Amino acid sequence: MKNLILTIGLFTTLLTSNVSFSQQKRTPASFGRAEYVEVEKNVKLHVTDLGEGQPLVLIHGWPLSDAMYEYQYAYFLEKGYRVIGITLRGFGLSDKPAGKYNYDVFADDIKVVLDQLKIENATIGGFSMGGATVIHYVAKYKAAHVSKMALFGAAAPIWTKRADFNYGFWTKEDVNGLISLNNTNRPQLLANFGTIFPANETSVSAGQGAWLGTIQAQASPYAMAEGLKTLRDSDLREDLTKITIPTLILHGKLDKICSYELAEQMNKGLKNSKLVPFEKSGHALFIEELDKFNTELLNFIK
């Protein structure tokens, strides 16, 4: 009988303490920012949103995701900035709906994200296809939410040669071949791009190449094909004439994907731009010359 009373007493004590513990209010450990932002019905984008301070918004290239900026996030967090990486629809951890994948859609999505996050006075930067996307965003929305623009190995103003634009490496027929390979042997397409991504065989380590490969593999094959069509067909020369905010252009002199000639054309077309060549870099300038990349971008933001 005595043991029964002791057991009941112990159970009551535990029950009371559990209720008391459950009623305690927890102090939030996070900033309360959503990792996914809905840009339209049934379409959510993955957003990396870290730190506090002046915002730096980063847009990735084809077929990567915001994860490509891992070493920019670490650097700018230490410098006291808020870093925001937006993964475009169809790539990385973002939703991958059927539908349109063009610079209009990408720009509209970015606008929704920056609206919802209430971002002001940001520097917005974009790599490769992301650079072209950023150009279109700033032109279309008259630099809403941003005061500076940065372009990294940007696939602009036109990625494919035209009768009146004989710059770069790619013809429309070349890109049609890339689309066909994407639809029949995507691993080979990624391997081919991996070969020409760096300046040379040693400028990107095997580990870095594998890391980038895991990011690329997350992309939707459909989005990759549609993205190639956008790269093939888009002409952003008129957009350049609409942009007046300060612009930094970082571009590898040894880039085999987006020719340095494209950087020179952007520099000519953007009234308030500065071009910084990366002598030792190919397309992977954000890791090939990491220290220079981060320092140049920091000095520009300051």
Side-chain angles (χ1 to χ4, degrees):
M1 185 67 174
K2 186 177 179 180
N3 289 339
L4 178 60
I5 293 171
L6 286 172
T7 301
I8 293 171
L10 179 61
F11 177 76
T12 303
T13 301
L14 289 171
L15 183 62
T16 304
S17 65
N18 285 339
V19 170
S20 176
F21 179 77
S22 67
Q23 290 173 343
Q24 291 178 3
K25 289 186 178 179
R26 174 179 173 172
T27 301
S30 76
F31 291 150
R33 301 172 188 167
E35 191 173 356
Y36 291 88
V37 175
E38 188 170 45
V39 291
E40 64 181 56
K41 186 177 179 181
N42 297 325
V43 182
K44 292 182 179 180
L45 302 190
H46 180 264
V47 179
T48 295
D49 188 353
L50 305 170
E52 298 178 277
Q54 184 181 351
L56 169 63
V57 179
L58 297 171
I59 309 300
H60 63 90
W62 177 98
L64 293 159
S65 77
D66 79 85
M68 66 165 279
Y69 290 114
E70 178 175 337
Y71 306 112
Q72 282 66 53
Y73 297 151
Y75 178 84
F76 284 97
L77 277 172
E78 288 291 326
K79 298 297 182 182
Y81 290 85
R82 179 179 178 181
V83 286
I84 301 165
I86 302 172
T87 293
L88 302 173
R89 63 173 66 200
F91 300 91
L93 299 177
S94 289
D95 285 347
K96 300 169 175 64
K100 296 179 180 178
Y101 285 81
N102 56 42
Y103 294 138
D104 250 355
V105 172
F106 295 153
D108 292 346
D109 287 349
I110 291 169
K111 180 63 161 56
V112 173
V113 173
L114 298 186
D115 283 348
Q116 291 197 29
L117 298 184
K118 297 179 179 166
I119 299 300
E120 296 299 335
N121 195 35
T123 296
I124 188 167
F127 169 70
S128 198
M129 186 181 77
T133 297
V134 164
I135 288 171
H136 190 62
Y137 168 80
V138 173
K140 181 175 182 178
Y141 287 107
K142 300 178 180 178
H145 302 287
V146 305
S147 56
K148 294 182 179 181
M149 179 174 73
L151 306 171
F152 323 128
I158 307 176
W159 197 51
T160 50
K161 294 181 178 183
R162 313 287 169 88
D164 62 343
F165 191 84
N166 191 31
Y167 303 101
F169 301 120
W170 307 90
T171 65
K172 289 192 174 186
E173 291 71 24
D174 292 332
V175 183
N176 288 339
L178 299 177
I179 295 168
S180 177
L181 187 57
N182 178 80
N183 295 338
T184 56
N185 192 346
R186 189 167 70 117
Q188 187 62 58
L189 174 65
L190 294 175
N192 292 351
F193 265 83
T195 300
I196 62 174
F197 200 70
N200 54 60
E201 293 180 357
T202 60
S203 63
V204 171
S205 71
Q208 290 170 327
W211 164 64
L212 292 171
T214 62
I215 298 172
Q216 294 171 338
Q218 293 177 315
S220 153
Y222 174 80
M224 285 180 60
E226 293 302 304
L228 284 169
K229 293 174 187 176
T230 294
L231 284 162
R232 179 191 66 192
D233 298 335
S234 299
D235 182 345
L236 301 178
R237 284 177 291 185
E238 186 176 343
D239 280 354
L240 297 184
T241 67
K242 300 175 183 177
I243 297 172
T244 58
I245 61 174
T247 299
L248 175 68
I249 303 169
L250 306 181
H251 212 105
K253 290 293 291 287
L254 306 176
D255 196 322
K256 303 181 189 75
I257 293 175
C258 294
S259 166
Y260 190 76
E261 293 177 316
L262 299 185
E264 294 172 329
Q265 292 303 307
M266 286 184 282
N267 188 212
K268 289 178 182 178
L270 290 162
K271 300 173 185 176
N272 193 10
S273 65
K274 175 186 176 183
L275 171 58
V276 178
F278 279 57
E279 302 289 344
K280 302 175 184 178
S281 290
H283 201 47
L285 71 166
F286 61 99
I287 50 175
E288 288 176 292
E289 293 183 73
L290 176 63
D291 290 343
K292 179 178 178 179
F293 184 96
N294 289 346
T295 301
E296 290 287 353
L297 184 54
L298 176 64
N299 290 339
F300 174 67
I301 294 173
K302 283 182 176 180

